[in-house]
Every structure is written in structure tokens, then in C-alpha cells.
Amino acid sequence: MTKNYLEIPEELYNKLSDYAENDQLSIRLENQQILLENPKINHTNKQNLALHYFIVPSLASGIIALLIFLSTNHPQIAFTGSRHLSVASLSIILSTLFGFFGFIWTYLRKSCDLSKSKFKIFRETLTLSVAYTSISFAVQIIFWYIIGKTFSGVTFDPFTAGFLVLVFVGIIFYFLISAALSITLPNLILPLFTTFIGGILVSMATNNQKDWWQHNFSFLGTGEATQHWQFNITLIFSALILLTITDFLFAEFSKSSLYNYKFKIIRVFYILIALLIAFVGIFPAQSWTMPIHNNSAFGLVAVVLIMIIFLKWLVPTISKEFLALSWTALIALTLSAVAFMGIHYLSLTVFEIIAFAIAFTWLVMFINSLRGIIQEGNEWQVKLLQK
């Protein structure tokens, strides 16, 4: 009888033995990838858990909605847009409320690294819960706006309206629970971009009539701006997400043989950058907070410039492509600074937007480059044998 073997390096064997159950591993193909797992782990667990967890909150939301609709004594309930409670408004409220606490409970139960400190666990869980719930809230606002334009004037009886709330809440809750069970470093880039870019754009839009761009970018966070808290909260919350990404990245890196004191320095840089971003939001550009705000903003760009200058020393294995891109970013930042402070070609607003855009994009791209280095360090060559 022919026997088939897989010849693997000893280092890989030692790593796989930590996951094996009685020297047994299960293997499966998924998305053109070969996955080795502990045979006791069922890959459908996450989907089943998401299904189990969303049933009770969905039923509860349907019952709550029905009771509220019946209490209004209105024979017909609006689908969207009404002076009275509608299917849309209750769906948004209940899915956001249940989704927030459901995400926290699920993430703590299934995805949290118990080796982390309690403070990091609390900060990470709360940050991710707010981030994903906020994204789902924004998506629902857009969705119901489109539905309201499409089905204007549609109404339902209270029982049908309650059932529809149950369905919509169930859909949102299922995706939030699935997200909580599948948190990975690549998945965290989306909420960071969505929170930062979305919050900034909303702040710009709400202050359009005040011609904020004639002042400076930081005007959006001052007391003179409309709903200035949006801009400041966006920066503070983006800093928290960046800290969470840093924790995920270097927790993964610390398990690699490549991890050394230079990567610890990079970690300190990222923590410092997150703090500076938070300070820009905590201390608006007004009165006594102006010096702290300005120093934090310039400090943020300065730290990025230092990282780029010493990039080759910090990460000797960095790709030539990313190194070239980094120096391009450095040149662009330098030229924009000269165009603003030297020849006064750029306004303060344009300079701030360019500097923040380049620095923020480079930071995210550097995270992806570091992930690539980690993955390269976890690659081995294997050989198929047949005897």
C-alpha cells in the first residue's frame, strides 16, 4: 500500500505540535489555502455561534418594537420618516443598542487574549465595540435614507412592523457578532480608515457654511465650529483604534524570531503617534490649549519623518519598493512645508490636510509592510513524498 508523507522543517514541526491533539491535525482547503487545525476545532463554530447569539436579541427587539408600536395606538406604522416611531428609527436604535453590548460580550467570550492586562482588554474591547457599532450605525443611516426615498409613504400594521424590526435588527446583529468572532489585524484597518476619514468628512460638511477652510484645518475642532465635538472625538477615537492595531501587530510580532529591540522602538513610535493624535483632539486650537495642539500636530509629523529617515536601520529587511515610497512621502512632506512656510504658496489649511493625509496613509501602509515581514518569517518549504 502506497503511503504519502509531508516532509516539514523541524521548526515548523515544533510549532504544529502545540496545536495538535494526540499528534493529530485536521487539514482543509479554503479560499485556495491549505489550513491545518486542531481536529477538535470545528470551522463552522463561528457561524453557528453567530447564529445562536443573534436569535435572542432579535426576538427581544421584535417584542419591544411591537409593544412600542401598540402603545402608540396608531393602526399603521410608517416604514421610514414619520413624526411617530417608524420601523427605520426603532431598527436603528435597537440594533445599535443590542449590537454594542452583544459585540462586547462576544468579543470578551471568544476573541480576547487573556495574556493581556485588564486595562488593555478593557480599552481594546470598548474601542472595537464603539468602532464597529458606529460603522453599522452609519451604514443603516445611509440604507434607510435610500429606502425612505424609494418607499415614501409606505406603512404597516403594528405586527408586521414589529416583525420587520426583528428582521433588520437580526441582520445587523448577526454581522456585528460575526465581526466580533473574526477580529484580525487586517480587519482593523477598515474601522480605522472609516472612523478617521468619515468623521473628518462629516465635520467638513457640517461646517461648510462657515467657510472653515478660510481659517485652518484645526478650526473644525474649535468652539466656533458647528458640532466641533465630531472632529475632536474622531481624532481621539482614531488614536484608540491605532493603539489597538499596535497591540495586535506587536503581539503577533513578539511570537516571531525576527522580534528585537528595534521593533520595540517602532512600537514606542506608534504609541507616541497615537497619543499625539489624541492630544490634537483633546486640546483644540483655541485659547490656552493652542500651544499643546500645535506642538502635538507638528510632533506627529516630526515622528513620522524620523521613522522614515531611520526606516532602513529600524527594519533592514524592508522592501525596496516601500523604502522608495517612504522617501517619496518624506520629499512630499518637505516640499509642502517649504511651500507653506518658505514661499507661502500653500495656505495653512491645505498644508495641514496634505501633511495629515501623507502621514496617516504612510502609517497604515507601514503596518501592512510589517505584517508582510511577519508572514515571511512564518513561511517554510515543505516536500511531498510517496512511498
Side-chain angles (χ1 to χ4, degrees):
M1 179 180 177
T2 302
K3 292 186 177 181
N4 302 313
Y5 299 89
L6 188 66
E7 187 178 82
I8 62 175
E10 184 176 354
E11 183 183 1
L12 176 58
Y13 173 82
N14 293 332
K15 288 184 177 294
L16 291 177
S17 62
D18 296 334
Y19 297 95
E21 179 73 23
N22 297 324
D23 296 327
Q24 295 286 324
L25 287 169
S26 64
I27 188 169
R28 62 187 175 89
L29 299 176
E30 182 178 301
N31 298 327
Q32 298 182 338
Q33 294 180 333
I34 299 175
L35 303 178
L36 285 170
E37 297 177 329
N38 185 310
K40 286 189 175 181
I41 298 177
N42 186 345
H43 67 276
T44 60
N45 277 349
K46 289 182 178 180
Q47 182 177 355
N48 291 338
L49 286 172
L51 286 171
H52 292 160
Y53 291 165
F54 98 105
I55 291 175
V56 173
S58 300
L59 290 174
S61 64
I63 294 172
I64 292 172
L66 177 60
L67 293 176
I68 292 175
F69 290 149
L70 290 174
S71 67
T72 61
N73 294 321
H74 289 283
Q76 292 294 112
I77 304 298
F79 196 27
T80 62
S82 173
R83 290 181 302 168
H84 311 291
L85 287 176
S86 63
V87 172
S89 60
L90 265 189
S91 296
I92 294 173
I93 294 170
L94 293 175
S95 63
T96 302
L97 183 64
F98 280 114
F100 176 74
F101 291 105
F103 190 102
I104 291 177
W105 184 81
T106 307
Y107 185 75
L108 286 175
R109 184 179 175 86
K110 296 297 177 183
S111 304
C112 200
D113 184 357
L114 297 179
S115 64
K116 297 179 181 178
S117 66
K118 291 183 178 180
F119 174 75
K120 281 188 177 181
I121 291 174
F122 172 79
R123 188 198 72 210
E124 179 180 296
T125 305
L126 186 61
T127 300
L128 293 176
S129 300
V130 174
Y132 279 91
T133 306
S134 299
I135 292 173
S136 71
F137 178 82
V139 170
Q140 288 182 84
I141 293 294
I142 297 172
F143 170 79
W144 285 113
Y145 176 79
I146 296 172
I147 292 297
K149 295 294 183 180
T150 307
F151 298 98
S152 178
V154 174
T155 60
F156 300 97
D157 64 88
F159 291 94
T160 303
F163 176 75
L164 288 174
V165 170
L166 182 154
V167 172
F168 286 116
V169 171
I171 293 171
I172 297 299
F173 196 81
Y174 174 78
F175 282 108
L176 284 173
I177 295 303
S178 298
L181 292 168
S182 307
I183 292 292
T184 59
L185 182 58
N187 293 344
L188 294 177
I189 302 297
L190 175 62
L192 177 61
F193 259 109
T194 304
T195 301
F196 187 79
I197 303 300
I200 296 298
L201 290 177
V202 169
S203 298
M204 290 179 178
T206 55
N207 286 278
N208 184 47
Q209 293 181 345
K210 290 197 172 185
D211 294 334
W212 63 270
W213 47 270
Q214 293 184 5
H215 301 272
N216 52 59
F217 190 56
S218 299
F219 172 83
L220 297 172
T222 65
E224 298 178 31
T226 302
Q227 297 180 332
H228 60 276
W229 62 269
Q230 292 179 346
F231 180 81
N232 296 326
I233 289 297
T234 293
L235 293 176
I236 296 170
F237 198 65
S238 296
L240 289 174
I241 298 178
L242 185 59
L243 278 177
T244 301
I245 291 176
T246 302
D247 290 341
F248 269 77
L249 175 65
F250 288 95
E252 188 176 350
F253 228 135
S254 63
K255 301 174 184 177
S256 171
S257 58
L258 301 173
Y259 191 65
N260 55 35
Y261 75 96
K262 292 182 180 179
F263 289 105
K264 292 180 181 179
I265 294 175
I266 296 174
R267 183 173 192 168
V268 171
F269 276 138
Y270 265 98
I271 293 174
L272 178 59
I273 287 170
L275 291 175
L276 290 172
I277 293 174
F279 283 170
V280 172
I282 294 172
F283 302 100
Q286 56 189 22
S287 64
W288 66 271
T289 62
M290 180 70 81
I292 303 176
H293 177 91
N294 289 340
N295 290 329
S296 298
F298 283 110
L300 169 62
V301 177
V303 173
V304 172
L305 291 175
I306 292 172
M307 291 177 69
I308 295 175
I309 292 171
F310 292 97
L311 181 60
K312 186 61 179 178
W313 176 78
L314 289 169
V315 190
T317 57
I318 199 73
S319 67
K320 293 180 180 179
E321 292 78 10
F322 185 75
L323 191 61
L325 179 66
S326 299
W327 281 101
T328 302
L330 175 65
I331 293 171
L333 283 171
T334 304
L335 290 177
S336 61
V338 171
F340 165 61
M341 293 182 288
I343 61 177
H344 305 291
Y345 176 74
L346 295 178
S347 66
L348 176 58
T349 303
V350 175
F351 170 68
E352 287 179 327
I353 292 176
I354 291 175
F356 266 92
I358 293 175
F360 183 76
T361 303
W362 184 86
L363 287 171
V364 174
M365 295 181 70
F366 188 34
I367 289 173
N368 285 326
S369 295
L370 291 176
R371 282 191 60 250
I373 294 173
I374 296 174
Q375 292 172 350
E376 290 175 4
N378 289 332
E379 290 182 1
W380 295 270
Q381 298 296 318
V382 299
K383 187 177 182 180
L384 295 173
L385 300 174
Q386 192 176 71
K387 295 182 180 178

